[in-house]
Amino acid sequence: MEQILQDLTKTPLIAFTILLLVILVVPPIFERLRLPGLVGLLAAGVVLGPDGLGLLSAEAETMKLLSDIGKIYLMFVAGLEIDLEDFRKNKDRSLGFGIATFLIPLIFGAMVGRFFGFGWNPAILIGSLLASHTLLGFPIVNRLGVTSNQAVTVTIGATIFTDIAALLVLAVCVSISAGEFSAASLTIQLLTLAAYSAIVLFGFDWAGKEYFRRTGDEESNQFLFVLLAVFLASVGAEIINVDRIVGAFLAGLAVNDVVGHSPVEEKVEFVGSTLFIPFFFVGMGLLIDFSGFVSSLTTALPLTIGIVGALILSKFLAAMVAKILYGYNWSEALTMWSLSLPQVAATLAAALVGKTEGIITDAVFNTVIVLMLVTAILGPVLTARFGSKLTVPKASLQENSQTKEEDSVDEDFNLDTDNFIYNSLFKVVVPIYNPHTERYLIEMGALLAHHEQGIVVPLSIPKAHVHMDEPQLKVSIKRSKKLLQQALQISQEFQAKAKPVIRIDDDVARGISRAAREQNANLIVMGWSPTSSLQARLFGNIIDNVFWAAHCPIAVMRLLDEPINIHSVLVPVRNITPEILRAIQFAQLFADTNQASVTLLHVRPRKTSDKEIALFESELSEYLSNSKSQKEVVIRTIRHDDVAKVIIKESNSYDMIILRSVHRRTAGGLAVSDVSNKLLSSINNCSMVLFGEPHSG
């Protein structure tokens, strides 16, 4: 029996099945313990490896392949998530902070290496491991709505410099270790690398734009093109004797400009974060010699403390340099420090290369694992604390609002008088499919349209394939007409003008967004459809795709009662951002139509001072004072450390809660739990609206 089990564990299919089970079960368990999911994957690798159950081996061909793909994908995603537009706007400051947060840790790390008796080559490599950083805290500042704060955008932009520079140092150290280093070889290597980088950054950018332009909306082919670009760049890096992770990172930067914030980017990151990147972290765990790891922490404890301490201190000093040079306040400087602390993507990948090439010892490699664990936990915790104190410049809020108004004026302008009148009306597009939820949705659309003296546009989309004369299509059209007739009757009950529309399309989400654009809609009201099927999880459900493609705000609703019976609305507010202000405006619009009350709920940590709360409430009141709504809005602040728990409890006293939709991923590739996820699954006693805009979050 034991022999059969040993033979089974050597089968690639069994190893793959075990890996799938691990990445499905382990990360959520560790996140419940308030530890990063990737820590759980490393621990699972140790447990399943040679020092544990022996079910997986780092030397197995299957594990090597999956781990290599994960390592490449990790660096690719790190490049893909860098916002090039923000980098261009603040490139000088990003470069300045990038140099500081690269050179200071490099010097500190090299000094620590030399102090503990390492030669110059491994000492400099140790320094380069501290010089890069992974933006694990980005989802936090994204959720807080402070990504437009200059200190945040500068830190994000600095990632480009630190990661590329650290990988270049790695390439030089590997060449020196292999005995291939000389002044001439270094010059040739740098020139070759420069030419290769230009080919990847500009060539792949051009090829991608041409391919995407010619393929239109063929997302499957675009997805394959992106994957091909990643692995072509990695193979090219190996050809010029540079580690493949350099090519993967450059490919991420090149493709970044092509895919932008699109469904293709979402799918690429989803596949990586779901499969390949977790495989890499499990593979890293398999490489950890647990007995040696414990021994390193005891016998090499001074080295561990030295490296971890050098990183924390050097990154702090770099943030202080930026504070002095650019005049940032303490909250901004400390947020920059916390964002640049985590050492995951480039650090782990480079450390693995250094260990494989024999440049760094097992003790250093184990110390890097400790460094990753400490900074992966400490960085996001500090980011949440300091990032909550950041403010978004009022100018950016006003510019955003002004741009919206200018866009609406441009869109409404038409020389045809009839079209001008129609285009100027407030229009609510309501896609309908399920007759059981149709009435509540149409009623909501009709209430809003009637209040604004506009039009509700019930929309039904029969799905067509190749042949337009298919019997199934005829049946679908007949069903659509019946649904639209019911919608028309409901609209008339609420004295709202209605313009039913049938649109034949091969993709429901695109059909909704295209019809909304053609009708020049101001709002799309949709019914709730939870993501449950494998296809929906992999390729996104209709709601996800409408969020990506639509031109106007979307309100996704789960209505437990008729809208006319909803008289109290709760809107949780974390920070004052353009997105949350528009969610509040939507709440006020609904309140005006139905004589409902609106309460803004602000949850702050228990230790928040009265002064901070008063300042926030006064700023929010200032924005509300400029509102056109006649209904008074109540602002409630509660001190509590569990935001979701408070919102769930308070929602029981209201008829409807409005949440802001947030779409995000982490730079490390692993999804991070969000307050909204908890709320969506826990709030069952009141109606719910998920309000958002295209590319929100």
Side-chain angles (χ1 to χ4, degrees):
M1 184 67 179
E2 185 177 345
Q3 183 64 38
I4 294 175
L5 288 175
Q6 289 179 353
D7 292 339
L8 281 176
T9 55
K10 294 178 182 178
T11 306
L13 182 61
I14 298 297
F16 187 75
T17 304
I18 293 173
L19 285 171
L20 288 178
L21 181 63
V22 166
I23 63 178
L24 176 68
V25 174
V26 173
I29 294 175
F30 273 70
E31 286 175 2
R32 283 182 176 272
L33 300 174
R34 298 189 181 276
L35 292 172
L38 57 88
V39 175
L41 295 174
L42 285 169
V46 174
V47 172
L48 296 173
D51 281 358
L53 301 176
L55 296 178
L56 296 175
S57 171
E59 301 302 318
E61 291 300 319
T62 304
M63 198 64 233
K64 284 182 179 178
L65 174 63
L66 294 176
S67 186
D68 280 348
I69 293 175
K71 181 172 65 175
I72 290 169
Y73 222 111
L74 181 65
M75 292 309 302
F76 168 69
V77 170
L80 190 64
E81 287 206 342
I82 292 174
D83 195 320
L84 294 178
E85 188 62 32
D86 282 338
F87 175 73
R88 293 186 185 108
K89 290 178 182 176
N90 302 284
K91 58 181 180 295
D92 294 336
R93 294 193 172 194
S94 292
L95 185 60
F97 178 62
I99 292 173
T101 198
F102 173 80
L103 284 181
I104 297 176
L106 177 69
I107 294 170
F108 271 61
M111 289 170 59
V112 170
R114 291 294 293 166
F115 179 81
F116 284 96
F118 291 96
W120 277 109
N121 194 42
I124 290 174
L125 180 58
I126 291 172
S128 73
L129 295 178
L130 309 187
S132 62
H133 60 263
T134 303
L135 294 170
L136 284 187
F138 177 75
I140 296 172
V141 292
N142 193 13
R143 186 181 72 239
L144 294 173
V146 294
T147 52
S148 59
N149 184 286
Q150 190 184 85
V152 175
T153 58
V154 164
T155 308
I156 295 169
T159 309
I160 297 178
F161 178 84
T162 58
D163 284 7
I164 290 179
L167 293 174
L168 286 177
V169 173
L170 171 68
V172 173
C173 290
V174 170
S175 297
I176 293 174
S177 177
E180 301 170 355
F181 179 78
S182 66
S185 66
L186 177 60
T187 303
I188 294 172
Q189 181 73 65
L190 291 177
L191 290 174
T192 305
L193 184 60
Y196 162 78
S197 301
I199 292 172
V200 173
L201 291 174
F202 299 107
F204 282 28
D205 188 4
W206 173 82
K209 287 177 179 176
E210 282 296 307
Y211 184 80
F212 276 42
R213 182 176 63 82
R214 294 175 186 275
T215 56
D217 292 330
E218 288 294 328
E219 291 179 11
S220 57
N221 288 338
Q222 292 172 358
F223 177 81
L224 292 174
F225 174 87
V226 171
L227 286 186
L228 178 62
V230 177
F231 291 100
L232 271 179
S234 300
V235 171
E238 288 197 324
I239 291 174
I240 64 168
N241 293 319
V242 176
D243 194 86
R244 66 194 74 168
I245 61 177
V246 178
F249 184 76
L250 291 174
L253 292 177
V255 173
N256 189 322
D257 212 23
V258 178
V259 300
H261 296 293
S262 68
V264 176
E265 181 198 36
E266 185 80 358
K267 292 173 177 59
V268 168
E269 292 189 357
F270 180 83
V271 171
S273 64
T274 305
L275 289 177
F276 298 123
I277 294 174
F279 289 162
F280 168 70
F281 283 109
V282 175
M284 289 287 294
L286 294 175
L287 292 172
I288 298 174
D289 179 358
F290 187 71
S291 56
F293 182 73
V294 175
S295 176
S296 296
L297 290 182
T298 53
T299 60
L301 184 61
L303 174 64
T304 303
I305 295 174
I307 289 179
V308 174
L311 171 81
I312 294 174
L313 178 59
S314 61
K315 291 291 184 181
F316 178 79
L317 291 176
M320 291 305 101
V321 169
K323 178 182 185 299
I324 295 170
L325 287 178
Y326 306 130
Y328 295 135
N329 59 41
W330 275 105
S331 295
E332 291 170 331
L334 292 173
T335 301
M336 295 176 79
W337 171 53
S338 66
L339 284 172
S340 61
L341 271 181
Q343 305 293 303
V344 180
T347 304
L348 282 180
L352 182 59
V353 173
K355 180 178 182 294
T356 305
E357 297 292 332
I359 304 174
I360 60 174
T361 62
D362 288 342
V364 174
F365 181 75
N366 290 333
T367 297
V368 170
I369 300 297
V370 176
L371 180 71
M372 186 276 293
L373 296 178
V374 172
T375 58
I377 297 171
L378 183 62
V381 169
L382 294 176
T383 299
R385 180 175 179 179
F386 300 128
S388 62
K389 298 179 181 180
L390 295 182
T391 57
V392 179
K394 292 185 178 180
S396 66
L397 297 177
Q398 293 168 354
E399 288 171 9
N400 191 297
S401 176
Q402 184 178 353
T403 302
K404 289 269 180 184
E405 292 175 5
E406 290 173 354
D407 289 346
S408 64
V409 171
D410 291 341
E411 289 170 1
D412 290 344
F413 182 73
N414 194 309
L415 292 178
D416 186 325
T417 304
D418 292 337
N419 283 340
F420 177 79
I421 293 173
Y422 177 74
N423 286 338
S424 299
L425 293 173
F426 183 89
K427 288 175 287 297
V428 183
V429 169
V430 185
I432 51 175
Y433 177 80
N434 186 349
H436 298 293
T437 60
E438 176 187 8
R439 179 173 183 86
Y440 288 179
L441 292 175
I442 293 295
E443 184 177 320
M444 175 65 80
L447 282 171
L448 297 172
H450 177 68
H451 179 270
E452 295 294 302
Q453 297 180 341
I455 295 177
V456 59
V457 183
L459 172 66
S460 184
I461 301 183
K463 194 170 181 180
H465 298 285
V466 179
H467 303 290
M468 297 296 287
D469 60 346
E470 289 180 342
Q472 291 179 343
L473 179 58
K474 294 180 180 178
V475 173
S476 297
I477 293 175
K478 185 177 180 181
R479 181 179 181 276
S480 294
K481 289 181 178 179
K482 184 177 180 181
L483 287 172
L484 292 178
Q485 184 60 40
Q486 295 172 353
L488 192 59
Q489 293 174 358
I490 297 170
S491 302
Q492 290 172 349
E493 289 179 25
F494 291 88
Q495 300 177 346
K497 296 179 181 178
K499 181 189 176 184
V501 172
I502 291 180
R503 182 188 180 94
I504 301 172
D505 208 304
D506 60 351
D507 185 282
V508 175
R510 290 177 189 158
I512 293 171
S513 58
R514 288 165 181 165
R517 187 58 166 159
E518 290 166 359
Q519 299 297 322
N520 198 24
N522 300 87
L523 177 69
I524 299 174
V525 171
M526 298 180 64
W528 180 262
S529 59
T531 303
S532 55
S533 68
L534 177 62
Q535 180 181 2
R537 290 182 182 274
L538 188 58
F539 298 107
N541 59 14
I542 293 175
I543 293 172
D544 295 330
N545 294 328
V546 171
F547 267 109
W548 280 111
H551 77 287
C552 64
I554 305 104
V556 181
M557 304 188 175
R558 187 192 67 194
L559 299 175
L560 304 183
D561 199 353
E562 290 188 75
I564 57 172
N565 295 330
I566 296 175
H567 297 293
S568 58
V569 180
L570 179 68
V571 186
V573 177
R574 181 66 184 263
N575 283 84
I576 301 173
T577 64
E579 293 79 16
I580 196 62
L581 290 177
R582 283 190 282 275
I584 294 172
Q585 289 170 5
F586 171 77
Q588 291 176 305
L589 172 61
F590 174 77
D592 288 342
T593 66
N594 210 31
Q595 298 302 303
S597 63
V598 177
T599 300
L600 305 183
L601 177 63
H602 181 55
V603 184
R604 294 298 290 260
R606 295 183 190 274
K607 295 182 180 180
T608 306
S609 66
D610 293 338
K611 184 179 179 181
E612 287 180 299
I613 292 176
L615 178 62
F616 179 87
E617 290 183 350
S618 65
E619 289 180 355
L620 188 55
S621 298
E622 182 182 341
Y623 286 108
L624 294 174
S625 65
N626 298 322
S627 171
K628 298 177 182 178
S629 174
Q630 301 300 315
K631 297 293 293 182
E632 183 179 354
V633 176
V634 177
I635 301 176
R636 256 190 95 197
T637 301
I638 297 178
R639 286 188 177 93
H640 203 284
D641 294 326
D642 191 333
V643 177
K645 185 177 181 180
V646 172
I647 296 175
I648 293 169
K649 180 181 177 181
E650 292 297 317
S651 67
N652 294 325
S653 304
Y654 293 85
D655 298 327
M656 185 168 73
I657 182 171
I658 298 177
L659 304 174
R660 189 175 75 85
S661 171
V662 177
H663 299 274
R664 59 185 173 80
R665 297 231 182 248
T666 69
L670 293 174
V672 173
S673 60
D674 184 23
V675 170
S676 294
N677 292 335
K678 205 175 202 180
L679 298 177
L680 293 175
S681 59
S682 302
I683 296 177
N684 299 309
N685 297 325
C686 71
S687 297
M688 185 182 299
V689 175
L690 198 61
F691 184 84
E693 300 172 56
H695 315 299
S696 66

